[in-house]
Amino acid sequence: MTVCVFFGCTFIAFGPAISLFIFTVARDPLRVIFLIAGAFFWLVSLLLSSLVWFIAVQISNKENASLQKGLLIFGVVLSVFLQEAFRFGYYKLLKKANEGLMALNQDDTMPISIRQLAYVSGLGFGFMSGAFSVVNILADSLGPGTVGIYGDPPHYFVSSAFMTMAIILLHMFWGVVFFDACEKKQWLSLAVVVCTHLLVSCLTFLNPQYEGSLIPAYVIAFVMGAWAFFISGGSLRNLRLCLTCKDKDFLLANHRPR
Amino acid sequence: MAENLANVVHEQISEDFPDVHRSNGNDGTERRRTEVREAESNGQPASRPSRPVESEEDEDEELTLKYGAKHVIMLFVPVTLCMVVVVATIKSVSFYTKKDGQLIYTPFPEETDTVGQRALNSILNATIMISVIIVMTLLLVALYKYRCYKVIHGWLIISSLLLLFFFSYIYLGEVFKTYNVGMDYITLTLIIWNFGVVGMICIHWKGPLRLQQAYLIMISALMALVFIKYLPEWTAWLILAVISVYDLVAVLCPKGPLRMLVETAQERNEPIFPALIYSSTMVWLVGMADGDAESQKKQTPRLAAPDSQATDQMDDGGFTPEWVDEQLNDLGPIESTEETRREIQQMPSDRAPAVPTDDPEERGVKLGLGDFIFYSVLVGKASATASGDWNTTLACFVAILIGLCLTLLLLAIFKKALPALPISITFGLVFYFATDNLVRPFMDQLALHQFYI
């Protein structure tokens, strides 16, 4: 408990996301704005799904524990579908805004490309999703207490932090793949994104058997990451050149000798 | 009194750069027109293609968009900082969540027996508070219109004195109590004295821009904390709702007090009082530190106080008549004449179209301090009363930022002073109540079972 666990879990959960934000998003005001707008869209989707769940709970029998759990599962599935629907809605809004911006600029250059928007909106969704999942838990970890004293899993905080990190990264990759699928009208890729989201969420029903939920979540995150990488124009050759500092385009752009 | 002062001129956003932008555009077209006329009158037709004119306007539009985004961020950062300070204080210093009585403007208590009585009391409280605010605003506008500047300045100085010395003393005392820090009165006096005096100088006279912005954020946070402490819950939400409606009316209606204030200030070409507005760039000459002498000269044509204009006309930049005579003797005629000017004009100009270099950085956005205060009151109340839930605070924070973004977008479209409260406060209130009542139980259940969505 206490400060050690708090800082550890915070950095595990938000470390990659915050460093991505600082190094790629914070410098460009347009990207920051679209990130916050993405976070807002996720928030609205959560609001709607909570509304439906709340109404369902109010009209049901509150004593029946298994019914409540069933309703919760229904809430999760509904929330996943609503999140993806709002991601699609955000895509449509961004397309319209981009068209408007392009119409103003007569020389056809957009101030921000659709791929950057995909990345930034995915990150926005991820930030909000991660924050809502884990901030209350982190606040509780700061205070006194013993984890799992009544037989609950003792690794609650650390596993929550790792799951949150996976979810944030997944949202980012899903954003890139989703927008690309919408651009190229590949509805199969779209369906795969929705299905993997559903899969990851449903795997968390197996908690506290963390090997059933965490490990597949990371495997899926890795696969989606690779997919997003190849979609964005990466290749093994690019990767090799970048890692061995031999990528001429990158070096030229940064004025560094080979 | 201090509260009303902060409330009075707040809910308006105005932007420097549309006016500047328009005047630059006009200057540009005039420049082009005079050059064309001169070329023609000199016997040569203007062989100026029409493309450069169009591309200059397009570039201006693109610059507008790019710098529009920059302005949004220039306001996001101080609003975020103010909210972070307020939330951090609320969560750590328990003084600001303890019930220690109410302000005289909200006399009816909210600890009543029935819900109906509580609702009635809060409505009455909100009505009294809003009436006080309206009266104060009208008083300020009347004073401004009839040029009673001394009264206004005295009023502002007294209220900033109150905030910078008295409220910060209380704040510091409570922070020391929370963290159990021992402090003697002598050190405390030194700290508060220095803080207060530097604050007064920065806000009402000259000071580095960042320090001034920091002080404005601090006094907004202090004011917001006072409101959060002394306003009971239902009254606070009602006041927030009603004040955004009032803001809408006061800024947009033709006879609205705030609109009259902004228009009168624009007519007289004067900046609105520095103690009530947060500006992202140096705007008024009176409030600038010497390090920015360059920007001072460039600012002169736009917002000039009478005395500095006089000094500027006498400032010939070192080209005294003696120096000019000396040059004439040494180098021959060097001053440009009609012929030399014609020659230069005929040369192809591959300079970029003349967008004055100082403009992008010096076009700033202004936000009233009352907006900062009410945003922070909303987020602070959300974090104080939402059953210790951080999700509600986060949701209100994002909602307010998005509202601010939309307001700035509207500002870029309409290019006149707009109320900053309505959209943000509406989003904030909707998200507060929705998150507290709907999302919180859902997320609590999910966290209990460790389900992730």
Side-chain angles (χ1 to χ4, degrees):
Chain A
M1 292 299 287
T2 71
V3 178
C4 216
V5 173
F6 171 74
F7 277 113
C9 289
T10 308
F11 290 139
I12 290 175
F14 290 113
I18 291 184
S19 36
L20 279 169
F21 177 78
I22 290 176
F23 290 118
T24 57
V25 175
R27 294 280 165 85
D28 190 356
L30 263 177
R31 291 183 199 169
V32 177
I33 295 173
F34 284 119
L35 184 125
I36 297 184
F40 180 72
F41 270 73
W42 187 88
L43 196 59
V44 177
S45 82
L46 177 69
L47 214 81
L48 284 177
S49 50
S50 325
L51 179 67
V52 174
W53 174 82
F54 191 77
I55 294 175
V57 164
Q58 295 298 88
I59 61 179
S60 73
N61 179 12
K62 295 215 181 118
E63 305 303 315
N64 194 343
S66 60
L67 177 65
Q68 295 303 314
K69 192 155 184 190
L71 278 176
L72 197 63
I73 292 178
F74 161 71
V76 171
V77 172
L78 177 69
S79 178
V80 170
F81 282 123
L82 273 176
Q83 281 177 51
E84 297 303 325
F86 269 81
R87 209 197 292 272
F88 185 70
Y90 194 41
Y91 167 76
K92 282 287 180 207
L93 183 72
L94 286 176
K95 281 297 273 186
K96 269 215 181 105
N98 250 350
E99 275 164 20
L101 288 174
M102 261 166 63
L104 279 170
N105 262 352
Q106 274 167 354
D107 50 334
D108 254 5
T109 55
M110 297 200 290
I112 183 167
S113 73
I114 199 77
R115 276 202 194 137
Q116 288 180 17
L117 282 174
Y119 161 66
V120 156
S121 72
L123 197 57
F125 268 59
F127 257 121
M128 215 52 189
S129 175
F132 264 65
S133 307
V134 96
V135 165
N136 278 332
I137 297 173
L138 288 175
D140 283 338
S141 77
L142 202 52
T146 309
V147 193
I149 199 169
Y150 291 120
D152 296 306
H155 303 297
Y156 184 78
F157 290 131
V158 178
S159 62
S160 298
F162 274 109
M163 194 68 204
T164 308
M165 172 166 76
I167 294 273
I168 296 179
L169 291 175
L170 272 169
H171 268 291
M172 195 176 66
F173 300 142
W174 281 328
V176 174
V177 176
F178 193 97
F179 276 44
D180 189 72
C182 287
E183 284 280 299
K184 298 184 183 149
K185 307 255 190 279
Q186 288 168 343
W187 308 121
L188 188 63
S189 307
L190 209 73
V192 170
V193 167
V194 179
C195 287
T196 45
H197 194 171
L198 206 56
L199 182 65
V200 170
S201 281
C202 292
L203 280 173
T204 62
F205 298 155
L206 293 172
N207 279 335
Q209 265 114 319
Y210 298 124
E211 49 279 324
S213 63
L214 269 180
I215 297 178
Y218 274 92
V219 168
I220 295 178
F222 186 72
V223 169
M224 293 299 300
W227 191 2
F229 177 72
F230 287 118
I231 276 186
S232 318
S235 63
L236 285 173
R237 185 176 161 274
N238 276 351
L239 193 61
R240 190 167 43 89
L241 285 175
C242 179
L243 289 174
T244 53
C245 292
K246 289 209 177 74
D247 189 348
K248 284 195 211 139
D249 295 329
F250 180 75
L251 293 171
L252 273 172
N254 289 307
H255 306 292
R256 264 188 243 138
R258 202 185 324 170
Chain B
M1 179 176 63
E3 301 90 54
N4 294 311
L5 225 70
N7 294 339
V8 161
V9 178
H10 45 27
E11 300 90 357
Q12 23 147 354
I13 282 183
S14 60
E15 217 172 338
D16 242 351
F17 85 87
D19 304 322
V20 170
H21 179 67
R22 258 184 267 128
S23 64
N24 278 339
N26 290 338
D27 288 343
T29 40
E30 278 168 16
R31 224 182 305 129
R32 276 178 246 124
R33 266 186 260 129
T34 41
E35 282 176 23
V36 168
R37 249 186 285 126
E38 270 186 36
E40 282 180 349
S41 67
N42 289 330
Q44 278 112 10
S47 54
R48 197 170 303 277
S50 56
R51 282 283 307 282
V53 177
E54 282 175 11
S55 69
E56 186 171 329
E57 284 175 3
D58 288 344
E59 257 200 47
D60 280 348
E61 285 279 3
E62 182 172 332
L63 279 168
T64 308
L65 287 166
K66 281 204 184 117
Y67 291 108
K70 198 164 179 202
H71 294 145
V72 174
I73 299 300
M74 283 199 282
L75 280 184
F76 271 11
V77 174
V79 169
T80 309
L81 276 174
C82 193
M83 290 198 262
V84 162
V85 169
V86 169
V87 170
T89 310
I90 294 277
K91 288 289 185 185
S92 53
V93 180
S94 62
F95 172 73
Y96 287 103
T97 42
K98 261 192 307 209
K99 201 92 184 71
D100 272 343
Q102 295 181 202
L103 296 169
I104 54 162
Y105 306 111
T106 54
F108 297 97
E110 272 195 22
E111 292 86 22
T112 55
D113 299 325
T114 63
V115 175
Q117 185 68 27
R118 185 176 186 186
L120 184 67
N121 278 358
S122 51
I123 291 176
L124 287 170
N125 278 340
T127 319
I128 296 177
M129 187 78 168
I130 294 293
S131 336
V132 170
I133 292 177
I134 293 179
V135 164
M136 290 290 173
T137 316
L138 290 172
L139 188 64
L140 180 75
V141 174
L143 283 173
Y144 189 68
K145 228 176 154 131
Y146 295 113
R147 299 178 189 265
C148 309
Y149 293 140
K150 290 243 187 308
V151 179
I152 297 179
H153 280 131
W155 187 2
L156 288 176
I157 286 179
I158 291 179
S159 70
S160 357
L161 271 173
L162 196 68
L163 275 169
L164 282 169
F165 287 97
F166 185 54
F167 288 158
S168 56
Y169 166 71
I170 294 180
Y171 178 81
L172 208 56
E174 293 305 322
V175 167
F176 286 149
K177 271 187 222 169
T178 308
Y179 291 107
N180 211 10
V181 175
M183 176 65 68
D184 55 303
Y185 274 114
I186 300 176
T187 316
L188 187 68
T189 312
L190 272 173
I191 294 175
I192 297 289
W193 174 254
N194 279 305
F195 178 79
V197 169
V198 175
M200 289 301 289
I201 292 176
C202 272
I203 296 176
H204 291 281
W205 196 49
K206 298 182 197 186
L209 179 67
R210 291 290 176 217
L211 196 60
Q212 187 176 48
Q213 291 174 336
Y215 267 104
L216 289 173
I217 293 175
M218 279 189 268
I219 64 174
S220 308
L222 282 172
M223 199 70 234
L225 285 168
V226 167
F227 275 139
I228 293 171
K229 180 173 172 63
Y230 289 111
L231 285 180
E233 208 181 312
W234 289 21
T235 311
W237 300 124
L238 264 176
I239 286 181
L240 280 170
V242 177
I243 209 164
S244 29
V245 173
Y246 164 69
D247 194 18
L248 197 62
V249 166
V251 177
L252 292 181
C253 284
K255 282 297 169 193
L258 294 176
R259 180 164 170 165
M260 287 196 328
L261 185 71
V262 171
E263 279 174 359
T264 321
Q266 277 173 350
E267 267 170 45
R268 296 181 193 170
N269 236 349
E270 279 167 8
I272 305 183
F273 324 103
L276 294 174
I277 305 264
Y278 175 96
S279 168
S280 50
T281 55
M282 302 273 222
V283 177
W284 48 93
L285 291 172
V286 193
M288 276 206 295
D290 286 325
D292 267 77
E294 212 179 71
S295 50
Q296 190 176 23
K297 286 205 180 69
K298 288 171 196 155
Q299 287 282 1
T300 315
R302 297 199 279 274
L303 292 160
D307 38 349
S308 45
Q309 217 173 26
T311 48
D312 225 44
Q313 279 160 6
M314 290 190 275
D315 182 15
D316 47 7
F319 289 104
T320 58
E322 300 85 40
W323 186 90
V324 172
D325 285 334
E326 214 182 281
Q327 290 289 11
L328 217 59
N329 290 334
D330 290 339
L331 303 170
I334 51 162
E335 286 195 5
S336 65
T337 60
E338 279 299 320
E339 293 86 44
T340 55
R341 275 194 285 248
R342 204 191 325 150
E343 277 177 44
I344 301 289
Q345 275 158 37
Q346 284 171 359
M347 291 193 323
S349 158
D350 41 16
R351 281 183 301 121
V355 177
T357 49
D358 58 302
D359 269 6
E361 300 312 306
E362 291 196 2
R363 296 170 181 179
V365 203
K366 294 196 283 273
L367 186 62
L369 284 194
D371 299 322
F372 279 85
I373 293 175
F374 284 110
Y375 293 161
S376 309
V377 167
L378 196 150
V379 175
K381 263 297 192 221
S383 73
T385 59
S387 13
D389 194 36
W390 282 90
N391 289 343
T392 318
T393 314
L394 267 176
C396 290
F397 169 72
V398 172
I400 287 181
L401 284 186
I402 290 291
L404 188 62
C405 197
L406 284 174
T407 312
L408 286 169
L409 186 68
L410 287 176
L411 182 70
I413 296 177
F414 292 112
K415 295 201 198 328
K416 60 175 195 173
L418 286 181
L421 281 184
I423 303 180
S424 290
I425 298 286
T426 313
F427 277 5
L429 286 174
V430 165
F431 274 84
Y432 169 74
F433 287 111
T435 313
D436 199 31
N437 297 316
L438 301 174
V439 175
R440 188 175 47 87
F442 186 47
M443 296 306 294
D444 280 348
Q445 283 296 310
L446 289 178
L448 188 65
H449 295 102
Q450 242 181 337
F451 291 171
Y452 278 78
I453 52 170

